[in-house]
Amino acid sequence: MIAIEDVSKRYADGTVAVDRLSLQIPDHSITVLVGPSGCGKTTTLRMINRMVEPSSGTIRVNGEDIRSRPVNALRRSMGYVIQNAGLFQHRTILDNIATVPRLLGWSKERARARAAELMERVGLDPGMARRYPYQLSGGQQQRVGVARALASDPPVLLMDEPFSAVDPVVRRGLQEELLRIQEELGKAIVFVTHDMDEAITVGDRVAVMRTGGRLAQFASPDELLSS
Ligand code: ADP
Ligand code: ADP
Protein backbone atom coordinates (compact mmCIF):
# COMPACT_ATOMS: atom_id res chain seq x y z
CA MET A 1 0.00 0.00 0.00
CA ILE A 2 1.16 3.50 -0.86
CA ALA A 3 0.32 6.29 1.59
CA ILE A 4 0.59 9.90 0.47
CA GLU A 5 0.57 11.98 3.66
CA ASP A 6 -0.03 15.73 3.52
CA VAL A 7 2.25 16.13 0.50
CA SER A 8 2.82 19.45 -1.27
CA LYS A 9 5.00 20.37 -4.22
CA ARG A 10 6.07 23.90 -5.00
CA TYR A 11 8.38 24.14 -8.03
CA ALA A 12 11.38 26.48 -8.08
CA ASP A 13 9.41 29.15 -9.97
CA GLY A 14 6.82 29.25 -7.18
CA THR A 15 4.11 27.18 -8.91
CA VAL A 16 2.20 25.13 -6.36
CA ALA A 17 1.51 21.91 -8.29
CA VAL A 18 0.24 19.81 -5.37
CA ASP A 19 -1.29 21.22 -2.21
CA ARG A 20 -1.50 19.15 0.99
CA LEU A 21 -2.57 15.94 -0.70
CA SER A 22 -3.35 12.85 1.35
CA LEU A 23 -4.31 9.61 -0.34
CA GLN A 24 -4.21 5.89 0.47
CA ILE A 25 -3.48 3.68 -2.53
CA PRO A 26 -4.27 0.03 -1.76
CA ASP A 27 -2.63 -3.05 -3.27
CA HIS A 28 -4.47 -5.19 -5.83
CA SER A 29 -6.44 -2.31 -7.29
CA ILE A 30 -6.41 0.54 -9.76
CA THR A 31 -6.41 4.02 -8.23
CA VAL A 32 -7.02 6.78 -10.77
CA LEU A 33 -5.89 10.40 -10.47
CA VAL A 34 -8.21 12.47 -12.66
CA GLY A 35 -8.62 16.20 -13.22
CA PRO A 36 -7.99 19.00 -15.71
CA SER A 37 -4.62 19.64 -17.33
CA GLY A 38 -2.19 21.24 -14.86
CA CYS A 39 -3.93 20.09 -11.66
CA GLY A 40 -0.88 18.17 -10.43
CA LYS A 41 -1.52 14.57 -11.53
CA THR A 42 1.85 13.94 -13.17
CA THR A 43 3.66 15.67 -10.33
CA THR A 44 1.92 13.38 -7.85
CA LEU A 45 2.80 10.28 -9.86
CA ARG A 46 6.44 11.35 -10.18
CA MET A 47 6.72 11.97 -6.46
CA ILE A 48 5.85 8.31 -5.89
CA ASN A 49 8.96 7.13 -7.78
CA ARG A 50 11.02 10.13 -6.70
CA MET A 51 11.45 11.69 -10.11
CA VAL A 52 10.11 14.74 -8.26
CA GLU A 53 10.83 15.41 -4.56
CA PRO A 54 7.95 16.77 -2.44
CA SER A 55 8.45 20.16 -0.79
CA SER A 56 6.74 18.81 2.31
CA GLY A 57 4.92 15.72 3.50
CA THR A 58 5.79 12.04 3.37
CA ILE A 59 5.12 9.14 1.01
CA ARG A 60 5.29 5.61 2.39
CA VAL A 61 5.18 2.21 0.72
CA ASN A 62 4.08 -0.51 3.14
CA GLY A 63 4.79 1.85 6.00
CA GLU A 64 8.32 2.69 4.91
CA ASP A 65 9.27 6.24 3.94
CA ILE A 66 10.34 6.08 0.27
CA ARG A 67 13.36 8.26 1.13
CA SER A 68 14.77 5.50 3.33
CA ARG A 69 15.72 3.31 0.35
CA PRO A 70 18.13 3.94 -2.53
CA VAL A 71 16.20 5.52 -5.37
CA ASN A 72 17.17 2.76 -7.83
CA ALA A 73 15.73 0.06 -5.58
CA LEU A 74 12.53 2.07 -5.31
CA ARG A 75 12.23 2.52 -9.09
CA ARG A 76 12.88 -1.15 -9.74
CA SER A 77 9.82 -1.91 -7.63
CA MET A 78 7.68 0.39 -9.76
CA GLY A 79 6.93 -0.04 -13.46
CA TYR A 80 6.35 3.25 -15.29
CA VAL A 81 4.28 3.72 -18.45
CA ILE A 82 3.98 7.05 -20.29
CA GLN A 83 1.82 8.40 -23.08
CA ASN A 84 3.84 7.66 -26.20
CA ALA A 85 5.34 4.49 -24.74
CA GLY A 86 8.89 5.97 -24.73
CA LEU A 87 10.33 2.91 -26.45
CA PHE A 88 13.96 2.59 -27.50
CA GLN A 89 13.69 3.23 -31.24
CA HIS A 90 16.80 1.28 -32.21
CA ARG A 91 15.92 -1.88 -30.33
CA THR A 92 13.50 -4.58 -31.39
CA ILE A 93 10.23 -5.04 -29.54
CA LEU A 94 11.60 -8.13 -27.83
CA ASP A 95 14.71 -6.31 -26.68
CA ASN A 96 12.74 -3.28 -25.52
CA ILE A 97 10.79 -5.54 -23.17
CA ALA A 98 13.91 -7.50 -22.15
CA THR A 99 15.82 -4.33 -21.20
CA VAL A 100 14.98 -4.27 -17.50
CA PRO A 101 15.64 -8.00 -16.89
CA ARG A 102 18.98 -7.56 -18.70
CA LEU A 103 19.81 -4.60 -16.41
CA LEU A 104 18.96 -6.84 -13.47
CA GLY A 105 21.62 -9.27 -14.69
CA TRP A 106 19.51 -11.94 -16.35
CA SER A 107 21.10 -13.84 -19.24
CA LYS A 108 20.02 -12.73 -22.72
CA GLU A 109 18.13 -16.01 -23.24
CA ARG A 110 16.23 -15.81 -19.98
CA ALA A 111 15.42 -12.13 -20.50
CA ARG A 112 14.10 -12.81 -24.02
CA ALA A 113 12.04 -15.76 -22.82
CA ARG A 114 10.51 -13.50 -20.20
CA ALA A 115 9.90 -10.82 -22.84
CA ALA A 116 8.16 -13.33 -25.12
CA GLU A 117 5.92 -14.41 -22.26
CA LEU A 118 5.01 -10.77 -21.54
CA MET A 119 4.21 -10.12 -25.21
CA GLU A 120 1.64 -12.87 -25.00
CA ARG A 121 0.28 -11.51 -21.73
CA VAL A 122 -0.40 -8.05 -23.21
CA GLY A 123 -1.86 -9.46 -26.42
CA LEU A 124 1.01 -8.88 -28.87
CA ASP A 125 1.54 -11.31 -31.72
CA PRO A 126 4.85 -13.23 -31.37
CA GLY A 127 5.65 -12.20 -34.95
CA MET A 128 6.23 -8.66 -33.71
CA ALA A 129 9.25 -9.64 -31.59
CA ARG A 130 11.78 -8.72 -34.25
CA ARG A 131 10.12 -5.54 -35.42
CA TYR A 132 11.11 -2.04 -34.40
CA PRO A 133 8.80 0.45 -32.63
CA TYR A 134 8.14 2.55 -35.78
CA GLN A 135 6.70 -0.57 -37.43
CA LEU A 136 3.93 -0.81 -34.82
CA SER A 137 0.69 1.12 -34.41
CA GLY A 138 0.26 3.46 -31.46
CA GLY A 139 -1.90 0.95 -29.61
CA GLN A 140 0.63 -1.83 -30.16
CA GLN A 141 3.43 0.42 -28.92
CA GLN A 142 1.47 1.08 -25.74
CA ARG A 143 1.15 -2.67 -25.22
CA VAL A 144 4.93 -2.92 -25.52
CA GLY A 145 5.24 -0.11 -22.97
CA VAL A 146 3.02 -2.02 -20.55
CA ALA A 147 4.94 -5.27 -21.14
CA ARG A 148 8.24 -3.49 -20.52
CA ALA A 149 6.94 -1.99 -17.29
CA LEU A 150 5.85 -5.46 -16.11
CA ALA A 151 9.16 -7.12 -16.98
CA SER A 152 10.66 -7.13 -13.49
CA ASP A 153 7.29 -8.08 -11.95
CA PRO A 154 7.09 -4.91 -9.85
CA PRO A 155 4.36 -4.72 -7.19
CA VAL A 156 3.49 -1.18 -8.30
CA LEU A 157 2.63 0.14 -11.77
CA LEU A 158 2.58 3.90 -12.41
CA MET A 159 0.74 4.88 -15.61
CA ASP A 160 0.69 8.45 -16.91
CA GLU A 161 -2.02 8.99 -19.56
CA PRO A 162 -1.00 5.63 -21.06
CA PHE A 163 -3.86 5.40 -23.56
CA SER A 164 -4.54 9.07 -24.34
CA ALA A 165 -2.79 9.15 -27.70
CA VAL A 166 -4.64 6.21 -29.29
CA ASP A 167 -8.01 6.28 -30.99
CA PRO A 168 -11.15 5.51 -28.95
CA VAL A 169 -11.75 1.97 -30.23
CA VAL A 170 -8.17 0.83 -29.61
CA ARG A 171 -8.25 2.64 -26.31
CA ARG A 172 -11.26 0.63 -25.21
CA GLY A 173 -9.35 -2.59 -25.98
CA LEU A 174 -6.33 -1.41 -24.01
CA GLN A 175 -8.50 -0.51 -21.02
CA GLU A 176 -10.05 -3.97 -21.05
CA GLU A 177 -6.61 -5.56 -21.33
CA LEU A 178 -5.43 -3.55 -18.34
CA LEU A 179 -8.37 -4.73 -16.23
CA ARG A 180 -7.58 -8.31 -17.19
CA ILE A 181 -3.88 -7.88 -16.32
CA GLN A 182 -4.82 -6.30 -13.01
CA GLU A 183 -7.13 -9.22 -12.19
CA GLU A 184 -4.40 -11.76 -13.00
CA LEU A 185 -1.41 -10.01 -11.48
CA GLY A 186 -2.91 -8.01 -8.60
CA LYS A 187 -0.63 -4.96 -8.81
CA ALA A 188 -1.13 -1.62 -7.08
CA ILE A 189 -1.76 0.52 -10.15
CA VAL A 190 -1.80 4.32 -10.09
CA PHE A 191 -3.35 5.58 -13.32
CA VAL A 192 -3.36 9.23 -14.41
CA THR A 193 -5.91 10.54 -16.92
CA HIS A 194 -7.74 13.78 -17.70
CA ASP A 195 -10.73 11.78 -18.97
CA MET A 196 -13.47 11.10 -16.41
CA ASP A 197 -15.02 8.33 -18.55
CA GLU A 198 -11.71 6.51 -18.58
CA ALA A 199 -11.30 7.05 -14.82
CA ILE A 200 -14.69 5.46 -14.18
CA THR A 201 -13.99 2.59 -16.61
CA VAL A 202 -10.64 1.48 -15.19
CA GLY A 203 -10.70 2.77 -11.60
CA ASP A 204 -11.49 0.91 -8.41
CA ARG A 205 -10.98 4.23 -6.63
CA VAL A 206 -10.94 7.65 -8.25
CA ALA A 207 -9.12 10.67 -6.81
CA VAL A 208 -10.56 13.79 -8.41
CA MET A 209 -8.03 16.63 -8.34
CA ARG A 210 -8.72 20.27 -9.07
CA THR A 211 -6.62 23.17 -10.26
CA GLY A 212 -4.18 24.19 -7.57
CA GLY A 213 -3.26 20.60 -6.76
CA ARG A 214 -5.97 19.88 -4.22
CA LEU A 215 -8.04 16.76 -3.78
CA ALA A 216 -11.71 17.43 -4.53
CA GLN A 217 -13.07 13.92 -4.03
CA PHE A 218 -11.87 10.35 -3.44
CA ALA A 219 -14.59 7.88 -4.27
CA SER A 220 -15.56 4.66 -6.02
CA PRO A 221 -16.84 4.91 -9.62
CA ASP A 222 -20.35 4.07 -8.36
CA GLU A 223 -20.26 6.91 -5.87
CA LEU A 224 -19.06 9.30 -8.58
CA LEU A 225 -21.79 8.22 -11.01
CA SER A 226 -24.51 8.74 -8.43
CA SER A 227 -23.24 12.09 -7.19
P1 ADP B 1 -1.12 17.52 -14.75
O1 ADP B 1 -0.38 16.24 -14.82
O2 ADP B 1 -2.38 17.43 -13.96
O3 ADP B 1 -1.37 18.14 -16.11
P2 ADP B 1 1.36 18.63 -13.69
O4 ADP B 1 1.68 17.88 -12.47
O5 ADP B 1 2.09 18.28 -14.94
O6 ADP B 1 -0.22 18.57 -13.94
O7 ADP B 1 1.57 20.19 -13.43
C1 ADP B 1 0.99 20.84 -12.31
C2 ADP B 1 1.39 22.31 -12.33
O8 ADP B 1 2.80 22.42 -12.11
C3 ADP B 1 1.14 23.01 -13.66
O9 ADP B 1 0.80 24.34 -13.38
C4 ADP B 1 2.47 22.93 -14.36
O10 ADP B 1 2.62 23.97 -15.27
C5 ADP B 1 3.43 23.05 -13.20
N1 ADP B 1 4.72 22.38 -13.42
C6 ADP B 1 4.92 21.09 -13.77
N2 ADP B 1 6.22 20.79 -13.86
C7 ADP B 1 6.88 21.94 -13.54
C8 ADP B 1 8.25 22.32 -13.42
N3 ADP B 1 9.23 21.43 -13.65
N4 ADP B 1 8.54 23.59 -13.07
C9 ADP B 1 7.57 24.49 -12.82
N5 ADP B 1 6.25 24.21 -12.91
C10 ADP B 1 5.91 22.95 -13.25
P1 ADP C 1 22.55 -9.15 -30.28
O1 ADP C 1 22.84 -8.45 -31.55
O2 ADP C 1 22.00 -8.25 -29.22
O3 ADP C 1 23.64 -10.05 -29.76
P2 ADP C 1 21.23 -11.44 -31.43
O4 ADP C 1 22.29 -11.53 -32.49
O5 ADP C 1 21.05 -12.57 -30.48
O6 ADP C 1 21.30 -10.10 -30.56
O7 ADP C 1 19.82 -11.19 -32.15
C1 ADP C 1 19.68 -10.24 -33.21
C2 ADP C 1 18.26 -9.69 -33.23
O8 ADP C 1 17.33 -10.76 -33.33
C3 ADP C 1 17.98 -8.95 -31.93
O9 ADP C 1 17.63 -7.61 -32.25
C4 ADP C 1 16.82 -9.66 -31.28
O10 ADP C 1 15.78 -8.76 -30.94
C5 ADP C 1 16.33 -10.63 -32.32
N1 ADP C 1 16.15 -11.92 -31.64
C6 ADP C 1 17.09 -12.71 -31.09
N2 ADP C 1 16.56 -13.78 -30.53
C7 ADP C 1 15.23 -13.71 -30.73
C8 ADP C 1 14.11 -14.52 -30.38
N3 ADP C 1 14.23 -15.66 -29.68
N4 ADP C 1 12.89 -14.10 -30.75
C9 ADP C 1 12.74 -12.97 -31.44
N5 ADP C 1 13.76 -12.15 -31.79
C10 ADP C 1 14.98 -12.51 -31.44
Side-chain angles (χ1 to χ4, degrees):
M1 129 117 76
I2 302 167
I4 297 175
E5 299 172 355
D6 203 27
V7 164
S8 297
K9 175 62 186 181
R10 177 192 288 269
Y11 284 106
D13 66 359
T15 305
V16 176
V18 174
D19 190 11
R20 285 165 290 161
L21 179 70
S22 293
L23 209 56
Q24 305 274 339
I25 297 169
D27 295 333
H28 309 289
S29 67
I30 302 181
T31 299
V32 178
L33 307 180
V34 68
S37 176
C39 73
K41 305 181 296 294
T42 294
T43 299
T44 301
L45 199 71
R46 289 185 177 169
M47 289 193 287
I48 296 172
N49 68 4
R50 295 189 63 194
M51 289 170 73
V52 171
E53 292 293 337
S55 308
S56 61
T58 304
I59 300 177
R60 296 177 201 279
V61 176
N62 299 326
E64 189 192 12
D65 189 329
I66 58 173
R67 288 167 293 194
S68 62
R69 275 205 284 171
V71 74
N72 287 343
L74 179 78
R75 291 200 190 137
R76 240 175 265 137
S77 72
M78 298 180 173
Y80 187 50
V81 184
I82 58 173
Q83 183 165 320
N84 288 308
L87 302 179
F88 306 118
Q89 294 301 317
H90 302 290
R91 288 189 198 172
T92 63
I93 298 312
L94 196 77
D95 286 343
N96 261 279
I97 301 169
T99 299
V100 173
R102 289 288 284 150
L103 288 172
L104 294 175
W106 294 27
S107 71
K108 195 178 274 189
E109 292 65 36
R110 187 167 163 233
R112 284 179 176 164
R114 169 77 176 150
E117 174 195 319
L118 284 162
M119 286 184 65
E120 193 183 338
R121 172 149 271 153
V122 301
L124 283 168
D125 189 282
M128 290 178 179
R130 289 167 186 271
R131 292 197 200 165
Y132 287 85
Y134 75 90
Q135 296 171 305
L136 268 56
S137 71
Q140 289 166 342
Q141 290 191 33
Q142 286 310 115
R143 288 175 193 271
V144 178
V146 173
R148 189 176 60 176
L150 291 170
S152 63
D153 197 23
V156 175
L157 205 51
L158 306 177
M159 308 185 82
D160 194 349
E161 301 264 6
F163 309 145
S164 295
V166 297
D167 71 66
V169 175
V170 174
R171 190 175 186 180
R172 188 74 217 173
L174 289 167
Q175 290 167 350
E176 277 163 15
E177 198 77 19
L178 180 69
L179 292 173
R180 200 180 54 69
I181 287 170
Q182 163 61 18
E183 202 151 289
E184 274 180 32
L185 303 181
K187 308 282 177 194
I189 298 177
V190 191
F191 187 105
V192 163
T193 180
H194 61 264
D195 179 346
M196 185 56 94
D197 285 341
E198 181 166 66
I200 285 171
T201 302
V202 303
D204 295 302
R205 299 284 290 168
V206 180
V208 183
M209 294 180 70
R210 60 165 180 252
T211 308
R214 307 194 67 167
L215 185 65
Q217 216 178 346
F218 189 35
S220 68
D222 285 347
E223 287 162 349
L224 284 173
L225 285 169
S226 63
S227 69

